[in-house]
């Protein structure tokens, strides 16, 4: 080699001068080829190849790659512009949006041009390498020639991946996304949609197409040959440069199409719950992104690749639409049943993805932040829970998702004191009409049972047909073996036969769409739990684990409603009771049935008493008969053993003599007709309907007897002191002031202070007439029936002497020890209370200073 380099016509100098430095635009001359042959004849081919590769590496590292990297160096505003474009330009000023879009498009065009320039340079260098390889080895397909070309390709891949543009995939993805959006706009214009509203696409064209296949056009047909060639040029150039760069371009196309699908789903499907959006979006995917894929990756004739990309795009649609609907699921529940199309879309998305865990986590988080807080009323929470039950059973009939989602709601409702009352109110209130989705939702569920419809959805062994199964029924048959295909044919013949009964036809239908039960269902069954899906009332009752609490609350509410009635009309209450008996059983509601029977008996007894009074001819009873004939008194006669305990907070008082005379006459007549029974009046209970003339206007109001009695005394005396009026009514001053405030608030009476103390008088007539039609609504009277807490406290009083005796013998005892000793030694009455009830009772004794706390133990007050 040293000996040859001293000659003027040294082949080594001529050969190395041909590619040092490497000038890809200069072709090898005849002298260069002769030098190559001379070196090859002297077995210096491998040395020459190494020299060429070193020269190519220096040129690549010093010139081509830096120029490409500099042209593709992302500016500072690149990510901002892309994020704005992805979010939506609608939130920006039009001028700013257009300026950003133009700048981004210009820069992407320059970077694409630089990429083409680099790949062209590499292609020319490759041509020089192939010429050298052909000269030295006669062909690139020989073993040594192939090894040289592999070394050349490895150098390209290594150098490009190590020193190429840092964000090549992102840059190419942005470029492909811009081109895809331009193609999308052109396709919409071709379909007749000239507006920017993507939601109009379906209504304008797609819904009128019998098949989307008939309206799909290629990129070449829509945009022209030059535009489609420009789209394909980048991938072809990069793939021709090196396989790794081709894979980067392919990944960029996939990323760009994923972003386009995501933006399309968000812009077109967000907040739209009353129309199906999945099928139109899948049609759009086949018409726009898939066609763009075919052109960008040059796979128009590669049907396997097309099917692969179509499956990936459709999965992307299911994933993004499913994620969007999961994010909006709380609003979907609020809009139920108008949101049934959105629920159907989400159900299909869940069948094709693995978003179930995300659904549970997202919905639980949304429920905690938007519903389970002190600002939400219990009625709203219960209504949302009912909507959640219906929505999630549409999504997952097995009830697995519902069970996971409903746990925090149940726990929160269990902590609210008015949950039982709200549920019972919704069970007995029709919501003012056919409101099956608002406050009357539970009443409507009871109506379903009365009409013979099953509340509980029995999970059949034959599932409903899969909506996706019909789309590829013929493909399924092709994949079946011959035996299965023959069975399908037999089933089809049997299904068409009129002799086949309905049950057999139902079994045959949808068999190919069978899917196994979720794993969670098997686990729940193994633990002995029976899944009762569809039973909304059962799920609400299950919050407390027992129906007794709800039945007792209904009994209390029914008693309150009956005691405030001004007539004997109980038709609606009887209808509600019959519906509840179908759901909870007759024995559980026997007391309520007796209460309504008392009302019916009271109506007959009242009619008999009034009739007997009119027919009485006895001189002794003449006065009583006159009173009863004109008396407005109508009594409700209750069987105390079946009614709830009346509240001890309702104060007894003395009725005015005129009213007491009417009531005594009524009681005497009842004793005469029903001897030896006697009536024991509860003057504080009931309702008084009275006419009040105030400011020259007459109003009819409904108040309780005490409030009516207070106003009655002002007919004979216009001014009363608080002490005198309280003494007249046999009331305390505090009880009087709580009741008389109703008339003061409505301007009937006024309160003032003088030397006599607090004085009440009739208000002077004014021009401001106060409408008193809603006086009864302002009456915050105490409940006539004892609450559940009061009943429970009264039931615990009998155990007070046992507790005091224990703490006399022992200095102090913890709660669980007291609880166990009561269960062991108290047999009459049997101690059947929970430890929580006992703790509440002991805390009440501490508040009354009968006991005291010593750490976690209780002791007698010293």
């Amino acid at each position: 080699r040293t000996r040859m380099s001293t000659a003027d016509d040294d082949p080594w100098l001529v050969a190395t001068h041909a590619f040092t430095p490497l000038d890809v635009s200069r072709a090898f001359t005849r002298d260069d080829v002769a030098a190559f042959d001379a070196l090859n004849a002297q077995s210096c081919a491998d040395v020459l190849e190494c020299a060429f590769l070193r020269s190519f590496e220096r040129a690549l590292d010093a010139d081509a790659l830096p120029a490409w990297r500099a042209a593709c160096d992302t500016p500072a505003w690149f990510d901002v512009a892309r994020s704005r474009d992805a979010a939506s330009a609608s939130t920006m000023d039009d001028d700013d949006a257009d300026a950003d879009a133009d700048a981004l498009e210009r820069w992407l065009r320059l970077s694409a041009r630089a990429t083409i320039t680099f790949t062209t340079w590499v292609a020319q260098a490759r041509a020089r390498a192939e010429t050298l390889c052909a000269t030295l080895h006669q062909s690139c397909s020989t073993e040594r020639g192939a090894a040289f070309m592999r070394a050349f390709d490895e150098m390209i891949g290594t150098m490009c991946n190590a020193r190429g543009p840092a964000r090549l995939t992102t840059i190419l993805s942005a470029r492909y996304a811009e081109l895809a959006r331009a193609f999308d706009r052109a396709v919409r214009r071709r379909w007749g949609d000239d507006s920017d509203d993507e939601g109009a696409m379906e209504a304008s064209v797609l819904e009128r197409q019998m098949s989307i296949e008939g309206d799909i056009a290629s990129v070449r047909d829509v945009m022209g040959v030059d535009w489609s060639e420009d789209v394909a040029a980048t991938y072809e150039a990069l793939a021709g440069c090196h396989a790794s760069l081709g894979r980067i371009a392919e990944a960029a196309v996939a990323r760009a199409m994923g972003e386009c699908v995501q933006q399309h789903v968000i812009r077109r499907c967000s907040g739209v719950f009353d129309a199906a959006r999945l099928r139109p979006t899948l049609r759009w995917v086949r018409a726009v992104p898939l066609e763009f894929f075919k052109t960008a990756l040059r796979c128009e004739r590669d049907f396997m690749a097309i099917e692969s990309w179509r499956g990936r795009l459709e999965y992307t649609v299911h994933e993004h639409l499913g994620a969007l609907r999961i994010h909006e699921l709380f609003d979907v529940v609020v809009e139920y049943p108008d949101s049934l199309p959105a629920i159907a879309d989400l159900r299909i998305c869940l069948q094709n993805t693995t978003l179930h865990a995300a659904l549970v986590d997202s919905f639980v988080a949304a429920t905690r932040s938007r519903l389970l807080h002190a600002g939400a009323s219990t009625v709203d929470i219960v209504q949302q829970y009912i909507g959640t039950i219906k929505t999630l059973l549409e999504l997952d009939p097995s009830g697995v998702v519902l069970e996971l989602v409903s746990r925090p709601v149940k726990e929160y409702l269990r902590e609210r004191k008015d949950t039982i009352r709200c549920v019972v109110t919704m069970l007995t209130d029709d919501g003012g009409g056919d409101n099956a989705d608002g406050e009357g939702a539970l009443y409507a569920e009871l109506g379903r049972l009365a009409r013979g419809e099953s509340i509980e959805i029995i999970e059949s062994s034959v599932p409903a047909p899969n909506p996706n199964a019909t789309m590829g029924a013929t493909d399924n048959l092709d994949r079946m073996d011959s035996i299965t295909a023959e069975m399908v044919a037999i089933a089809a013949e049997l299904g068409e036969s009129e002799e086949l009964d309905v049950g057999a036809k139902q079994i045959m239908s949808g068999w190919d769409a069978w899917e196994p039960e979720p794993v969670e269902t098997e686990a729940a069954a193994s633990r002995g739990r029976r899944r009762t899906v569809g039973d909304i009332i059962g799920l609400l009752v299950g919050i407390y684990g027992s129906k007794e609490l709800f039945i007792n609350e209904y009994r209390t509410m029914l008693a309150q409603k009956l005691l405030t009635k001004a007539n004997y009309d109980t038709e609606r209450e009887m209808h509600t009771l019959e519906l509840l008996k179908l759901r909870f059983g007759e024995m559980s509601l026997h007391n309520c049935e007796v209460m309504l029977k008392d009302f019916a008996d009271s109506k007959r007894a009242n009619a008999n008493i009034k009739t007997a009074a009119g027919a009485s001819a006895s001189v002794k009873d003449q006065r009583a008969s006159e009173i009863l004939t004109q008396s407005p008194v109508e009594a409700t006669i209750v069987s105390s053993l079946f009614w709830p305990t009346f509240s001890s907070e309702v104060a007894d008082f003395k009725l005015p003599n005129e009213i007491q005379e009417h009531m005594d006459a009524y009681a005497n007549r009842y004793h005469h007709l029903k001897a030896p029974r006697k009536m024991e009046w509860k003057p504080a209970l009931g309702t008084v309907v009275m006419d009040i003339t105030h400011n020259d206007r007459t109003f009819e109001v409904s108040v309780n007897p005490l409030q009516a009695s207070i106003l009655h005394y002002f007919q004979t005396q216009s001014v009363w002191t608080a002490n005198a009026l309280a003494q007249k009514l046999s009331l305390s001053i505090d009880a009087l002031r709580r009741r008389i405030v109703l008339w003061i608030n409505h301007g009937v009476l006024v309160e003032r202070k003088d030397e006599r103390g607090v004085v009440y008088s009739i208000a002077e007539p004014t021009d401001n007439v106060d409408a008193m039609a809603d006086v009864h609504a302002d009456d915050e009277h105490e409940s006539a029936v004892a609450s559940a807490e009061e009943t429970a406290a009264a039931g615990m009083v009998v155990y007070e002497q046992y507790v005091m005796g224990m703490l006399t013998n022992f200095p102090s005892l913890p709660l669980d020890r007291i609880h166990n000793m009561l269960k062991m030694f108290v047999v009459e009455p049997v101690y059947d209370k929970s430890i929580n009830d006992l703790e509440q009772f002991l805390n009440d004794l501490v508040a009354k200073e009968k006991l005291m706390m010593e750490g976690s133990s209780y002791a007698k007050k010293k």
Side-chain angles (χ1 to χ4, degrees):
R1 177 174 169 183
T2 304
R3 187 172 59 252
M4 288 188 302
S5 63
T6 59
D8 293 338
D9 55 351
D10 188 347
W12 176 257
L13 293 177
V14 175
T16 54
H17 178 72
F19 48 75
T20 304
L22 182 63
D23 184 4
V24 296
S25 62
R26 175 181 174 273
F28 290 144
T29 64
R30 187 176 300 176
D31 295 337
D32 297 335
V33 174
F36 296 158
D37 291 336
L39 291 173
N40 190 28
Q42 298 181 21
S43 301
C44 294
D46 53 345
V47 179
L48 188 61
E49 290 173 354
C50 291
F52 179 84
L53 291 176
R54 282 197 300 271
S55 178
F56 172 71
E57 182 180 6
R58 284 193 295 269
L60 188 64
D61 187 35
D63 299 325
L65 279 176
W68 186 29
R69 189 168 56 246
C72 295
D73 188 16
T74 55
W77 48 264
F78 175 76
D79 292 323
V80 177
R82 287 207 70 206
S83 62
R84 285 180 177 178
D85 182 69
S88 179
S90 60
T91 58
M92 304 163 51
D93 294 337
D94 292 338
D95 295 339
D96 294 340
D98 293 340
D100 287 345
D102 292 342
L104 180 62
E105 184 176 1
R106 286 194 303 271
W107 184 84
L108 290 174
R109 194 180 300 114
L110 291 174
S111 62
R113 189 177 299 126
T115 301
I116 298 296
T117 301
F118 172 78
T119 57
T120 302
W121 184 89
V122 173
Q124 292 174 346
R126 185 185 300 277
R128 300 293 299 277
E130 291 175 350
T131 302
L132 177 62
C133 182
T135 302
L136 298 178
H137 308 296
Q138 282 75 42
S139 174
C140 295
S141 59
T142 63
E143 183 178 352
R144 294 185 62 185
F148 170 68
M149 293 308 298
R150 280 198 302 272
F152 181 81
D153 288 337
E154 289 175 0
M155 182 173 292
I156 295 174
T158 302
M159 295 291 291
C160 290
N161 289 321
R163 302 184 182 182
R167 303 179 63 187
L168 181 59
T169 304
T170 303
I171 296 168
L172 294 176
S173 174
R175 172 64 173 163
Y176 283 123
E178 288 291 331
L179 296 173
R181 280 191 286 271
F183 175 58
D184 183 24
R185 289 191 293 268
V187 169
R188 293 212 310 271
R189 286 194 299 269
R190 185 174 181 272
W191 285 339
D193 179 19
D194 296 329
S195 66
D196 292 332
D197 183 11
E198 296 185 7
M201 179 179 63
E202 176 189 357
S204 62
V205 176
L206 285 183
E207 287 300 311
R208 296 199 300 265
Q209 299 294 330
M210 296 298 295
S211 173
I212 189 62
E213 300 295 339
D215 199 57
I216 289 180
S218 65
V219 177
R220 185 183 298 267
D221 296 335
V222 176
M223 306 298 293
V225 177
D226 295 339
W227 197 89
S228 62
E229 292 296 330
D230 182 56
V231 170
T234 303
Y235 172 74
E236 288 182 333
L238 289 172
C241 180
H242 193 266
S244 62
L245 296 179
R247 289 191 292 271
I248 290 176
E250 186 174 335
V253 176
R255 179 175 173 181
M257 293 303 98
E259 292 177 357
C260 289
V261 170
Q262 183 180 16
Q263 293 174 18
H264 180 87
V265 168
I266 293 175
R267 291 176 181 176
R268 189 164 170 273
C269 306
S270 180
V272 181
F273 307 141
D274 57 351
R277 285 289 181 247
L278 179 59
R279 289 179 62 86
T281 305
L282 291 176
R283 293 174 179 175
W284 172 82
V285 161
R286 295 186 184 183
V288 178
L290 186 59
E291 288 299 317
F292 188 84
F293 258 120
K294 294 179 183 179
T295 300
L297 301 182
R298 286 296 194 195
C299 58
E300 291 91 342
R301 299 185 181 278
D302 190 348
F303 299 108
M304 293 185 63
I306 292 174
E307 281 300 309
S308 175
W309 282 113
R310 183 179 68 84
R312 291 177 62 177
L313 286 171
E314 290 183 353
Y315 180 83
T316 302
V317 170
H318 287 106
E319 189 175 36
H320 287 307
L321 183 58
L324 176 65
R325 288 292 179 249
I326 288 173
H327 178 70
E328 300 173 329
L329 187 56
F330 190 90
D331 298 319
V332 171
V333 172
V334 173
E335 297 295 330
Y336 185 90
D338 295 335
S339 60
L340 280 173
I343 296 172
D345 286 347
L346 179 56
R347 181 173 63 247
I348 298 175
C349 292
L350 292 175
Q351 291 172 355
N352 290 276
T353 58
T354 56
L355 295 173
H356 297 79
L359 184 149
V360 173
D361 295 339
S362 174
F363 189 72
V364 168
T367 302
R368 290 185 187 277
S369 62
R370 299 179 60 179
L371 188 68
L372 305 183
H373 54 77
S377 66
T378 306
V379 174
D380 293 338
I381 297 175
V382 173
Q383 288 180 356
Q384 182 73 1
Y385 182 42
I386 294 172
T388 300
I389 294 172
K390 295 180 178 179
T391 301
L392 294 184
L393 288 179
E394 291 284 346
L395 289 176
D396 175 31
S398 68
V400 175
V401 176
L402 175 61
E403 183 176 352
L404 296 174
V405 165
S406 60
R407 267 180 215 153
V409 183
K410 289 181 179 179
E411 292 173 0
Y412 188 81
L413 286 174
R414 200 178 295 122
E415 295 174 357
R416 288 213 171 189
K417 294 183 178 180
D418 58 340
T419 298
I420 298 177
R421 176 169 289 268
C422 288
V423 173
V424 174
T425 301
M426 296 173 72
L427 275 171
T428 57
D429 188 4
D430 60 0
D434 298 331
N435 185 10
D437 302 298
E439 296 183 0
L442 297 183
Y443 189 83
E445 289 295 320
L446 290 175
R448 287 175 51 195
L449 183 60
R451 294 191 298 270
E453 301 176 10
S454 176
I455 289 182
E456 181 175 345
I457 300 175
I458 305 299
E459 296 186 77
S460 173
S461 59
V462 179
N466 190 335
N468 292 332
T470 58
M471 298 177 62
T474 57
D475 297 335
N476 292 335
L477 288 176
D478 293 338
R479 290 193 293 266
M480 294 178 186
D481 56 21
S482 59
I483 297 177
T484 309
E486 184 177 354
M487 292 176 61
V488 174
I490 294 174
E493 292 177 2
L494 292 175
E496 295 174 357
S497 175
E498 296 181 358
E499 298 178 359
L500 194 66
D501 62 347
V502 176
K505 289 184 178 181
Q506 198 170 14
I507 292 176
M508 292 297 179
S509 64
W511 66 270
D512 58 331
W514 180 85
E515 293 180 359
E517 286 272 343
V519 177
E520 292 86 348
T521 304
E522 297 289 338
S526 66
R527 291 191 295 268
R529 295 207 307 263
R530 182 172 178 266
R531 189 176 306 282
T532 55
V533 296
D535 187 358
I536 297 176
I537 298 177
L539 290 172
L540 288 171
V541 172
I543 293 175
Y544 291 91
S546 173
K547 65 180 181 181
E548 297 301 326
L549 294 173
F550 291 88
I551 292 175
N552 291 336
E553 184 64 30
Y554 169 68
R555 181 173 168 228
T556 301
M557 292 178 62
L558 179 62
Q560 293 175 353
K561 188 178 294 186
L562 294 178
L563 291 176
T564 56
K565 273 187 172 294
N567 52 49
Y568 295 105
D569 182 16
T570 59
E571 181 178 358
R572 191 178 183 285
E573 287 76 11
M574 184 64 71
H575 177 68
T576 303
L577 177 62
E578 293 300 323
L579 293 178
L580 291 173
K581 285 164 64 176
L582 292 175
R583 181 58 183 80
F584 296 105
E586 293 191 10
M587 292 302 298
S588 301
L589 295 165
H590 176 66
N591 290 346
C592 300
E593 191 174 7
V594 173
M595 291 163 60
L596 290 175
K597 185 177 181 299
D598 285 345
F599 238 66
D601 294 343
S602 299
K603 181 178 181 180
R604 281 195 301 272
N606 182 74
N608 292 336
I609 290 173
K610 296 294 181 70
T611 303
S616 176
S618 173
V619 176
K620 182 178 179 181
D621 295 337
Q622 188 65 35
R623 172 60 182 165
S625 298
E626 291 179 359
I627 293 175
L628 289 175
T629 302
Q630 303 175 0
S631 175
V633 175
E634 294 180 349
T636 299
I637 306 169
V638 302
S639 304
S640 58
L641 294 178
F642 297 91
W643 284 64
T645 305
F646 294 116
S647 176
S648 59
E649 294 183 1
V650 178
D652 287 331
F653 65 99
K654 182 179 180 182
L655 288 167
N657 294 331
E658 298 88 339
I659 305 301
Q660 188 64 50
E661 185 179 7
H662 285 264
M663 298 179 70
D664 290 342
Y666 194 102
N668 292 333
R669 182 66 63 183
Y670 177 83
H671 177 66
H672 177 74
L673 295 177
K674 300 287 185 178
R677 300 180 185 177
K678 292 184 178 181
M679 295 183 66
E680 180 181 348
W681 289 102
K682 296 286 185 181
L685 306 181
T687 302
V688 178
V689 180
M690 57 192 302
D691 293 334
I692 298 178
T693 301
H694 178 56
N695 286 348
D696 297 329
R697 294 187 61 181
T698 301
F699 301 94
E700 181 180 288
V701 297
S702 177
V703 294
N704 63 42
L706 177 53
Q707 290 166 336
S709 299
I710 292 173
L711 200 60
H712 176 82
Y713 282 110
F714 284 89
Q715 293 185 114
T716 57
Q717 185 175 328
S718 60
V719 179
W720 287 86
T721 63
N723 292 330
L725 187 57
Q727 186 177 4
K728 196 75 173 176
L729 292 168
S730 299
L731 278 177
S732 65
I733 299 293
D734 292 337
L736 173 65
R737 299 187 70 174
R738 284 199 305 271
R739 291 305 183 209
I740 203 171
V741 71
L742 171 73
W743 304 119
I744 296 174
N745 290 340
H746 284 83
V748 178
L749 302 178
V750 294
E751 180 185 28
R752 67 178 186 275
K753 290 185 178 180
D754 57 15
E755 64 278 2
R756 294 175 296 177
V758 179
V759 177
Y760 300 104
S761 62
I762 299 176
E764 296 294 331
T766 62
D767 295 333
N768 297 325
V769 179
D770 183 13
M772 301 180 63
D774 60 342
V775 166
H776 60 280
D778 294 339
D779 178 21
E780 299 180 359
H781 60 277
E782 292 119 353
S783 173
V785 182
S787 63
E789 291 79 5
E790 292 176 346
T791 304
M796 292 294 297
V797 171
V798 296
Y799 305 111
E800 181 178 349
Q801 58 179 336
Y802 293 99
V803 173
M804 302 302 290
M806 291 179 196
L807 296 178
T808 301
N809 297 325
F810 298 93
S812 63
L813 290 173
L815 175 64
D816 55 348
R817 181 80 181 276
I818 298 174
H819 181 65
N820 293 332
M821 292 179 69
L822 287 174
K823 289 174 62 178
M824 186 180 301
F825 298 112
V826 178
V827 293
E828 184 62 36
V830 177
Y831 178 76
D832 56 356
K833 308 300 180 182
S834 67
I835 194 169
N836 293 329
D837 296 335
L838 177 60
E839 183 180 16
Q840 181 65 39
F841 174 64
L842 294 178
N843 291 337
D844 292 340
L845 293 180
V846 172
K848 295 177 182 178
E849 297 186 351
K850 294 183 178 181
L851 299 179
M852 64 180 181
M853 290 289 297
E854 293 182 353
S856 60
S857 300
Y858 293 89
K860 290 185 69 174
K861 185 74 173 180
K862 298 178 181 179

